[in-house]
Amino acid sequence: MQEPKTISMDAGNGVENYVLIPKQQWEKEHLQKVTEDKEIKLRPWAHEITGIKSYNKLIPLLNHYRKDLDINNGGCVYFPNKPGVPYKFVAGEFKDFVIRHKRVFTKAKI
């Protein structure tokens, strides 16, 4: 096996050695490390996670919690501000929110 190529650099903390990795290999490895929790999902996924099949039940419920959920307030849901733009959800954070508010989402199914 070939020894990896290294380069010595001083980035202000003294001289350190860095391993050079081909860009394509790094991109592939990096993409594989992206966890599902940080994936961005669309509204059909939210219907699946909440168990609420009706758009007319899910959207008002999301709007009720908009202050907590809105990505502009540090939440995990992108609320579109014009028609035709999809809702987007940060998967892991939204799952956690649904679990914390299980009673509300369970009632909405009925």
Side-chain angles (χ1 to χ4, degrees):
M1 184 175 201
Q2 186 178 353
E3 197 66 30
K5 294 180 182 180
T6 60
I7 186 171
S8 297
M9 290 178 51
D10 184 356
N13 298 328
V15 176
E16 297 177 319
N17 290 323
Y18 294 89
V19 176
L20 300 176
I21 300 173
K23 183 180 177 190
Q24 286 180 332
Q25 179 185 346
W26 178 85
E27 287 175 348
K28 182 179 176 186
E29 290 171 4
H30 176 71
L31 289 174
Q32 289 172 346
K33 290 179 184 176
V34 173
T35 63
E36 185 176 297
D37 289 349
K38 293 294 179 187
E39 274 188 65
I40 303 300
K41 300 286 189 174
L42 299 177
R43 191 172 43 83
W45 173 86
H47 285 289
E48 186 179 315
I49 290 300
T50 60
I52 300 170
K53 303 297 179 205
S54 169
Y55 174 88
N56 293 331
K57 289 185 180 181
L58 179 63
I59 299 307
L61 192 56
L62 293 177
N63 283 325
H64 178 75
Y65 288 103
R66 187 174 187 145
K67 183 179 171 189
D68 298 326
L69 289 173
D70 196 329
I71 209 150
N72 294 324
N73 296 333
C76 57
V77 178
Y78 170 76
F79 288 85
N81 51 7
K82 59 184 176 178
V85 177
Y87 283 80
K88 295 179 184 175
F89 302 83
V90 179
E93 292 178 37
F94 186 70
K95 274 187 201 176
D96 292 343
F97 184 86
V98 170
I99 289 168
R100 282 194 316 269
H101 297 86
K102 185 171 31 178
R103 281 189 173 172
V104 175
F105 285 96
T106 304
K107 273 183 170 178
K109 286 189 221 178
I110 300 169

